[in-house]
Amino acid sequence: MNSIDKSVPGWTDEYKSTRIMDFDGEGFYIRLVTIDMDPNDTFYMQIPAEYETRSVARCISDFFLLNESGREKIKATLEVEDFPELPEIYDYFCDLFEDERCGRLILEYSINGGPSNINVADLAYDHLSLTEERSSREKYKVLHLILDTQNVPFRDIDDQAEVKRMKMSFLGLFLYYHVTKQNVSTIDPSTIDGEVKDAITYCEDNNLLKCKKVLIGDDMKLTVTDHGKKYFDELYDEAQYYVSNFEIFSHVFVDGDYIRFNHVEGKDYRIQVMRHEGIDVYRAVMVMSMMNGTFDDSKDEWEKEMRSINFFSRYFGACVNTDIEMSKQDFVAMIKQGKRTQAVNNDSMH
């Protein structure tokens, strides 16, 4: 999967350009932008050439600092004459990396015009692009990182045994989905460990999949059981329930007494409303993800995805979101009005 494009206006990036070798010995620029940030607000700074042979993580840790005195020294080197906002953006990214180090959030790193979900242990050189300013045709080496911020899932659940059970069930349902969609039919027995073993165990214990060898020495064959075929229909009905009752809260604009649904500037309150209504939001997100095609992008790399350290944060990070920018009374009023609006919408469809 290629990363989302976050090209800086006026510049063109060429990932892993063969012409980068012409710039050996020169320093490179690091560019940072988040998924939801305007490319015009991209942060950039120059990094010494020797950091090409150091990890992406090292580039970040050595130049985005916790201590204030270190930060001030870095900010003194930024090109503030033309871009006075750089120090403020620098502090934003420093705080972001500190939250990651402290386990308050999870960051995924992608390369503009290159791969998604890169390993920050990779050498910086392995992910450099050659960037060219369109007007002057000047060229520079650049490490152009796109950051996706995610919450740490399950931190709102104190019972660790329950968290372990939930993780096992979600791994199982992820595998079950791919077998049902015929993205997976066989598996090398030597790979049945860790997350894959947990997934198969869950599916077998719940009579969703059969996993067996046809002949000695063969790969294990995965097939959906009769119960598993019926269960997929049940999951579809469950997903429809969530959609019909909570989709109305996906784009809500609230300004005092003014409440509008399906508003282009509205915020997503589905998780908060589901939690208020007593819904298991982790289960709901898993089921809806199965039915809306969220997992289809991973069909060719399902095992790698399942074993990724970011697997749960990628799909369930939003589930811990409890922020509500309104009073409890206004929140309840929004829910009531949303339900009335949804009921009217449902009636008009019949």
Side-chain angles (χ1 to χ4, degrees), residues 186-248:
T186 60
I187 185 170
D188 182 345
S190 67
T191 66
I192 301 178
D193 59 8
E195 292 83 0
V196 175
K197 182 178 180 180
D198 285 347
I200 290 175
T201 299
Y202 175 85
C203 289
E204 290 186 323
D205 287 350
N206 288 273
N207 192 24
L208 300 177
L209 298 178
K210 288 182 180 178
C211 182
K212 64 179 181 179
K213 285 186 178 182
V214 177
L215 297 172
I216 296 176
D218 284 351
D219 284 347
M220 301 289 267
K221 185 176 182 181
L222 296 173
T223 55
V224 182
T225 64
D226 289 340
H227 171 69
K229 294 174 183 177
K230 295 177 183 177
Y231 188 60
F232 203 82
D233 292 334
E234 294 176 19
L235 291 174
Y236 176 82
D237 290 341
E238 184 177 346
Q240 289 301 109
Y241 168 80
Y242 298 135
V243 171
S244 63
N245 286 276
F246 300 103
E247 189 66 22
I248 190 70

Side-chain angles (χ1 to χ4, degrees), residues 90-117:
Y90 172 75
D91 281 333
Y92 167 77
F93 280 106
C94 284
D95 293 341
L96 207 61
F97 293 129
E98 178 60 19
D99 284 342
E100 180 190 34
R101 293 173 191 133
C102 295
R104 290 189 288 266
L105 59 78
I106 293 171
L107 295 177
E108 283 195 349
Y109 298 77
S110 300
I111 304 294
N112 188 54
S116 298
N117 310 324

Side-chain angles (χ1 to χ4, degrees), residues 8-9 11 40-44 75 78-89 133:
V8 178
W11 295 83
N40 283 301
D41 296 327
T42 298
F43 173 82
Y44 74 93
K75 287 191 281 188
L78 301 177
E79 298 178 24
V80 295
E81 186 173 338
D82 293 327
F83 303 98
E85 70 279 5
L86 282 180
E88 182 179 348
I89 302 176
E133 187 177 19

Side-chain angles (χ1 to χ4, degrees), residues 250-254 258 260-268:
S250 62
H251 295 87
V252 187
F253 182 82
V254 179
Y258 181 84
R260 287 294 179 271
F261 301 92
N262 299 316
H263 195 284
V264 66
E265 297 180 13
K267 293 187 176 181
D268 190 345

